[in-house]
């Protein structure tokens, strides 16, 4: 679970994940449209949009060039915002801007549109539905323009100090609830807890920073092996190779238990 959570967090703070999704949709649409001639009544609703191949080639080329240019400009704006935020608010804040959904969707929309137009140029054959390619490209560029207008408004609002503080507070609350939950499992019904002796240790097989502690996963392992597990490091600590990360009570731990704990 911890690995999946870390993977999802890395996806949320990347500028390639969402554009890749839009690009995949564009590729799928081009493949679907190239098979359009096999579907019945392919020109029933495309008659009002009939264009010749030369005009379609010109429209698609213009849209592809325009979207690539605007995408580069939007990316430059994002870089400037990240630079200003790191200088004025601290070097740790760009992560908050990197996972901004509006920015990712804007870049993805322009990337998907440009990719769709480029692939459509390659697919303009004698029997291809030229009108469908052109109509789809026009709709996409219209959505891109709407997205661009909202993106400019969003960026102007995003770099304001009250907005930055509010987003950092939300991220901090989310991280606290995830990394430091109030409770893990149910409290013991025993009135007096027995004295525990942690005689066994689990050491780290590698070095690096402790990013998160999977409390729910540790609780499940403790129940499975009927152990009390004491965590020897905290999130944010640097863990050296062969450093103690967990302490266990009872008899010598099983190899499977040590392997599970060492891999967390």
């Amino acid at each position: 679970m911890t690995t999946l959570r870390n993977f999802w967090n890395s996806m949320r703070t990347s500028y390639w994940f969402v554009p890749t999704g839009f690009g995949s949709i564009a590729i799928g649409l081009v493949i679907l449209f190239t098979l359009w001639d096999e579907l019945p009544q392919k020109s029933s609703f495309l008659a009002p949009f009939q264009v010749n191949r030369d005009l379609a080639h010109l429209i698609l080329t213009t849209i592809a060039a325009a979207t690539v240019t605007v995408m580069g400009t939007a990316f430059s704006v994002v870089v400037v915002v990240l630079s200003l935020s790191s200088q004025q608010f601290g070097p740790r804040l760009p992560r908050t801007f990197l996972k901004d959904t509006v920015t990712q969707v804007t870049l993805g929309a322009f990337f998907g549109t440009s990719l769709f137009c480029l692939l459509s140029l390659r697919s303009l054959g004698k029997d291809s539905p030229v009108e469908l390619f052109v109509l789809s490209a026009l709709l996409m560029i219209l959505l891109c323009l709407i997205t661009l207008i909202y993106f400019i408004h969003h960026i102007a609002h995003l770099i304001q100090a009250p907005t930055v503080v509010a987003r950092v507070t939300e991220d901090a609350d989310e991280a606290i609830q995830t990394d430091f939950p109030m409770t893990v499992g149910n409290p013991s019904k025993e009135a007096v807890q027995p004295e525990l002796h942690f005689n066994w240790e689990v050491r780290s097989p590698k070095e690096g920073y402790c990013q998160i502690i999977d409390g729910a996963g540790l609780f499940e392992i403790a129940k499975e092996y009927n152990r009390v597990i004491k965590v020897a490091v905290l999130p944010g600590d640097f863990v050296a190779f062969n450093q103690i990360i967990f302490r266990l009570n009872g008899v010598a731990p099983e190899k499977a238990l040590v392997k599970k704990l060492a891999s967390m």
Side-chain angles (χ1 to χ4, degrees), residues 159-215:
I159 61 177
Q160 296 180 12
T163 304
V164 173
V165 174
R167 292 173 68 93
V168 171
T169 302
E170 293 177 359
D171 290 345
D173 291 340
E174 180 182 352
I176 290 173
Q177 293 298 327
T178 302
D179 299 343
F180 304 99
M182 296 298 295
T183 58
V184 178
N186 299 319
S188 175
K189 297 181 180 179
E190 299 180 5
V192 179
Q193 296 292 336
E195 184 178 357
L196 299 176
H197 300 280
F198 297 94
N199 304 321
W200 305 97
E201 304 166 345
V202 177
R203 297 180 178 270
S204 174
K206 56 184 179 181
E207 65 179 18
Y209 284 95
C210 177
Q211 299 180 357
I212 188 174
I213 295 177
D214 186 6

Side-chain angles (χ1 to χ4, degrees), residues 67-141:
T67 51
V68 170
T69 302
V70 176
M71 182 175 61
T73 304
F75 184 75
S76 300
V77 172
V78 172
V79 172
V80 171
V81 170
L82 291 177
S83 177
L84 291 176
S85 64
S86 62
Q87 293 177 6
Q88 297 181 4
F89 303 112
R92 294 182 178 271
L93 284 183
R95 182 181 180 277
T96 303
F97 294 96
L98 285 173
K99 71 176 185 178
D100 181 62
T101 305
V102 175
T103 303
Q104 295 177 0
V105 170
T106 301
L107 295 177
F110 279 95
F111 173 73
T113 301
S114 60
L115 182 61
F116 174 83
C117 293
L118 292 175
L119 295 178
S120 298
L121 291 172
R122 176 63 178 82
S123 303
L124 288 179
K126 182 179 180 181
D127 299 326
S128 60
V130 178
E131 298 84 0
L132 190 58
F133 283 113
V134 173
L135 177 61
S136 300
L138 291 175
L139 292 176
M140 288 181 181
I141 193 62

Side-chain angles (χ1 to χ4, degrees), residues 22-35:
F22 277 86
S24 301
I25 295 175
I27 295 174
L29 288 176
V30 173
I31 295 175
L32 178 63
F33 292 164
T34 54
L35 302 176

Side-chain angles (χ1 to χ4, degrees), residues 225 252-262:
Y225 291 93
E254 300 86 343
K255 292 184 178 180
L257 172 60
V258 175
K259 185 178 180 179
K260 285 183 179 181
L261 291 176

